[in-house]
Structures are given as C-alpha cells and as structure tokens.
Amino acid sequence: MRIFISISLSILFFVSCNLKNNQVTFTGEIINPTDAMVWIQINDSVQLSTKLDENNKFEFNFEIEEANSYRFDHGGHTLVFLKPGSELNITLDAKNFDESITYSGSNIEENEFLKKRILIVENLQANRFEIPNMNKNEFDSTI
C-alpha cells in the first residue's frame, strides 16, 4: 500500500510540474485618461475590456496559448508582447501616449522594442514629405 501511495504521489508531482501556466496578468495605470475603459485585443474575435478603478488603474487576467503581440487601446493604441505566464505592468499618459509608456514585470525587452518601432514609424510618417529633401545627417536624426 505504501508503495502504491508513493508511486501515485510521484506521478502526481511529475504531472503537476509539467503543466503549462497559460495565465497572463496585465496591469497598468493611465495618467490623464480619456475614457473610463481600456481594451486588449486577444485575437480576431476576442477583445477584453475593463473599467479603470478610482486610481485610474486596471487589471486583466486571461489565458493565452502562445507568445504574441496584442493590441492595447485607450485613446491611442500600442502593442504589448505577452507570453504564457507573463506578468506585465504598463504606465502611460494618454496625452502623450506612445512616448510616455513605461513597463515593469515580464518581457520588458520585447515591449521596449515594440515601443521603439512604433515611435520610429510615427516619426517617419510625420516627416514623410520632408524626408526626400533631407541630407544624410538630417535623415539619420529622424530615425
């Protein structure tokens, strides 16, 4: 009987160690909010929303199957990189959306890359008429 219990407990321990944690916790604070709600697009058919609390903070808890970039919206939008088991916190000022974003928690490097990429694209779009007339130094400083 003791052998059976020992084997059963060993199997249970082994199986529980191999279970994948698909849970994601995504929290944040919005400074100068433009709305009482925030949204995150999980896939083409699932968009989650939640209300900001009295301190303009929010929390999402959901499951994902794989690492990916997800669209986050509140008066502007950005991409956030999440993977199963992530705990990411974002802080932003809605009046200066992309430039003000800061991250803490999981996947900071990936999220900083996405932020920089968005800022470069926005800068190039804003200067699209001037770029053809720029010299090399002006162009390099634009990027």
Side-chain angles (χ1 to χ4, degrees), residues 78 91-102 112 115 118-119 122-123:
T78 193
T91 302
L92 65 89
D93 184 337
K95 289 184 178 179
N96 194 20
F97 197 93
D98 292 321
E99 294 82 357
S100 68
I101 295 173
T102 60
E112 286 292 339
K115 174 186 170 181
I118 287 170
L119 291 173
E122 286 178 353
N123 193 22

Side-chain angles (χ1 to χ4, degrees), residues 30 32-35 37-40 47 71-79 90 92-98 101 118 122:
I30 309 294
N32 298 312
T34 59
D35 196 316
M37 302 291 290
V38 292
W39 297 266
I40 188 163
Q47 182 179 43
R71 181 181 165 129
F72 172 72
D73 290 278
H74 178 84
H77 71 273
T78 193
L79 296 175
I90 188 171
L92 65 89
D93 184 337
K95 289 184 178 179
N96 194 20
F97 197 93
D98 292 321
I101 295 173
I118 287 170
E122 286 178 353

Side-chain angles (χ1 to χ4, degrees), residues 8-19:
S8 297
L9 288 175
S10 297
I11 291 172
L12 181 62
F13 177 75
F14 179 75
V15 169
S16 67
C17 288
N18 289 324
L19 291 177

Side-chain angles (χ1 to χ4, degrees), residues 3-91:
I3 293 174
F4 176 74
I5 291 173
S6 295
I7 292 172
S8 297
L9 288 175
S10 297
I11 291 172
L12 181 62
F13 177 75
F14 179 75
V15 169
S16 67
C17 288
N18 289 324
L19 291 177
K20 190 173 181 182
N21 177 11
N22 291 340
Q23 184 71 27
V24 169
T25 300
F26 177 50
T27 60
E29 179 179 4
I30 309 294
I31 300 163
N32 298 312
T34 59
D35 196 316
M37 302 291 290
V38 292
W39 297 266
I40 188 163
Q41 185 80 33
I42 304 303
N43 57 42
D44 291 339
S45 61
V46 177
Q47 182 179 43
L48 304 177
S49 64
T50 191
K51 286 183 115 177
L52 296 173
D53 69 13
E54 63 276 356
N55 297 312
N56 298 326
K57 295 184 178 185
F58 67 88
E59 182 172 337
F60 288 105
N61 291 291
F62 53 93
E63 290 190 5
I64 56 175
E65 295 296 319
E66 62 186 2
N68 208 339
S69 299
Y70 300 91
R71 181 181 165 129
F72 172 72
D73 290 278
H74 178 84
H77 71 273
T78 193
L79 296 175
V80 292
F81 178 81
L82 300 169
K83 60 184 177 182
S86 291
E87 292 184 9
L88 180 67
N89 182 274
I90 188 171
T91 302

